[in-house]
């Protein structure tokens, strides 16, 4: 655990879940952003302990998750299943680390702030449990754009539909789409009932239905009254991040055969009349947002272009034809970067910046 | 042009555009529905004249489009480009045929009814030009369900997002997706900016962007204020079919890598309070609708199951959590069947039924 020369005195960062899909992207992001950290400690399950992973150009050995690995840690990024986070985040916090957790375990806890640095950095100040939660990837792929418009116009209602990439379900999601793509490419499938299902067989991986040549209007688990957990999460998180506890939010979450980058269509109604010119100006200048919006010239974001980039991309900005207070638009973001790893790293930077 | 024995005295049907993607499905549908037609005359461009196509188990020679092919025709189904329809539909009508047109040429003409037999069959009565228009595939894949709910509750606002299959862009759309699928299957593409685009090259067919491993938030041509022609069409058609000329409708149209079957997420606000139980009852009993809605048991419609079937499938029916007058749901229909060919055949049947 030696600290490289010149890094003495800098804060220590732990990455818990370093070998996962999001953990891998965390290490890439840490390697490319301003080098503010002293030691970076990589932690995973005992199964992965001893593996070496590259970060900031150095090979670092992965440590098994245990109480003592949090000794001296200033900030710990967690990307692990809910039940692991629930158990280990308080342990890390008790050791003095600020935990930035990307699971669903703490997002709705009133004593845990849910932070998007571009939208509600002030929420980071009050963290009585020593834990900060990272919103879910679907919320994060649109909330920076929605937040910028809310700051100007005051949001009154949001209707959202998602087009979610398979990597939102981790490595297993990506592997499943790739296997199914190989089975259906070069065939005439997709033209009679159930033909894709028969070709794919029971190999639906983490999804309830085939995802190649298909869209699946279900992500997460069943909640009351027909809603999915993911839909409730997007609603609750939007309210919490924007500080609008009674905001009407209607969300339908749909999985699509895209590897990485979630898209959403948004119908947002505001307190006062909007203009497209002003909305475009807000989005074009908002930190973390790229406005890419000239469809006549072929300019609108798509996952194929957005994957691997940091910002929230926005296009198709229109004023509702029948409501001068509403905007319709399309947002697209990399669910592994801004949707997960990048936002946790940004929170961690804000935590130590606030301390400095 | 001999009429098979037993069919004497029955009405003559012409199918104009018989060799296209939709025309092909028209012939399949005519072969499977109740055999009410006398002669079925197949018509296409001179390029396709002389080809033989099967309908009702008979091989029929395709005739080249010309004035005299409409002699004695009672009903003519048209599935041809707008400019061909604009020229030839009035000619067929002048010859005494009732034209059922599936192009965009007449949909907004106030003297041409826009008909969905389950929703507004009465509109068929007044057809001063002798032409009846078939709505676009995107409208048709949700309007039967929306219409059934409107009949009970009175629709006040509709927010829709589409997940449109490539066959909505005809055979070229399907061929493009299949080519692109073969290029990207078995690769690690979809994980860095532009990698899918580079693999696909300029081979984007009728779409502005790659559609494999992607979603494309643009269908149709550019209209005023950032809207696409398809989005305006869905809005105008919903208003016209439901007879609600001032209905607020906000639509975002998105292409997805599905071969056939369009899906839509819908947020529908009504005049009075709704209940999910009653909404489900309405949808379960509405002609032309199948309610498939038990997500906890894995029941919701997806294109892979809906393709090749006639009804509009509906699932994910929920009451909006913050508005007792609004429903959120997911609709899915075969864009070549109910979305095009089937609805024109249903209109034709209604035309001759009304005469009988």
């Amino acid at each position: 655990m030696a600290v490289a020369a010149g890094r003495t005195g800098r804060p220590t960062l732990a990455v818990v879940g370093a070998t996962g899909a999001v953990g891998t992207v965390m290490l890439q992001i840490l390697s490319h952003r301003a080098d503010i950290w002293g030691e970076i400690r990589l932690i995973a399950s005992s199964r992965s302990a001893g593996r070496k992973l590259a970060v900031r150009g150095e090979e670092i050995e992965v440590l098994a998750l245990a109480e003592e690995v949090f000794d001296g840690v200033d900030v710990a990024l967690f990307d692990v299943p809910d039940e692991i986070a629930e158990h280990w985040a308080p342990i890390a916090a008790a050791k003095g680390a600020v935990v930035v957790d990307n699971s669903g375990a703490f997002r709705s806890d009133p004593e845990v702030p849910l932070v998007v640095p571009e939208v509600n950095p002030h929420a980071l100040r009050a963290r009585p449990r020593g834990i900060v939660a990272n919103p879910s990837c679907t919320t994060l792929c649109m909330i920076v754009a929605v937040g910028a418009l809310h700051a100007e116009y005051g949001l009154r209602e949001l209707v959202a539909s998602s087009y979610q990439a398979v990597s939102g379900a981790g490595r297993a999601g990506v592997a499943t789409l790739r296997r199914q793509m190989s089975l259906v490419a070069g065939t005439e499938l997709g033209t009679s009932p159930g033909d894709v299902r028969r070709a794919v067989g029971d190999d639906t991986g983490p999804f309830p239905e085939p995802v190649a040549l298909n869209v699946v209007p279900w992500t997460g688990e069943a909640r009351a009254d027909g809603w999915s957990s993911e839909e409730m999460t997007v609603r609750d998180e939007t309210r919490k991040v924007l500080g609008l506890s009674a905001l009407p939010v209607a969300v339908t979450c749909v999985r699509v055969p895209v590897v990485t980058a979630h898209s959403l269509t948004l119908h947002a109604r505001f307190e006062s009349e909007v203009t497209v010119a002003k909305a475009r100006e807000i989005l074009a200048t908002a930190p973390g947002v790229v406005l890419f919006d000239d469809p006549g010239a072929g300019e609108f974001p798509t996952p194929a272009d957005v994957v691997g980039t940091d910002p929230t991309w926005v296009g198709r900005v229109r004023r509702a034809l029948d409501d001068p207070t509403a905007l319709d638009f399309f947002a697209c973001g990399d669910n592994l970067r801004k949707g997960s790893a990048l936002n946790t790293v940004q929170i961690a930077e804000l935590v130590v910046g606030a301390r400095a």
Side-chain angles (χ1 to χ4, degrees), chain A residues 189-355:
Chain A
L189 293 166
T191 55
S192 65
D195 62 359
V196 167
R197 182 194 296 271
R198 283 188 295 276
V200 163
D202 294 332
D203 181 20
T204 62
F207 310 117
E209 296 290 323
V211 69
L213 294 180
N214 207 17
V215 303
V216 182
W218 187 257
T219 65
E221 290 99 49
R223 290 286 177 272
D225 301 322
W227 294 88
S228 74
S229 55
E230 180 104 356
E231 290 158 352
M232 295 303 288
T233 294
V234 173
R235 174 170 178 264
D236 294 346
E237 292 180 350
T238 299
R239 291 172 155 195
K240 188 168 176 177
V241 170
L242 299 180
L244 298 169
S245 59
L247 181 75
V249 181
V251 190
T252 302
C253 287
V254 180
R255 188 78 62 185
V256 296
V258 166
V259 177
T260 295
H262 288 354
S263 308
L264 295 103
T265 59
L266 297 149
H267 178 78
R269 198 162 55 79
F270 298 95
E271 280 164 19
S272 57
E273 199 163 314
V274 298
T275 68
V276 167
K278 179 71 181 166
R280 286 203 170 120
E281 189 191 313
I282 293 163
L283 293 164
T285 54
V289 177
V290 170
L291 179 70
F292 189 59
D293 188 20
D294 185 358
E299 290 192 357
F300 42 77
T302 76
D305 293 322
V306 164
V307 57
T309 70
D310 285 347
T312 302
W313 295 67
V314 178
R316 304 295 329 279
V317 181
R318 295 148 289 156
R319 188 164 87 167
L321 291 158
D322 309 302
D323 180 352
T325 69
L327 288 170
D328 289 281
F329 58 104
F330 182 81
C332 194
D334 185 317
N335 51 297
L336 300 179
R337 296 180 73 87
K338 183 60 187 179
S340 305
L342 175 61
N343 200 68
T344 59
V345 171
Q346 288 176 297
I347 293 172
E349 290 170 352
L350 209 54
V351 166
V352 296
R355 277 183 179 184

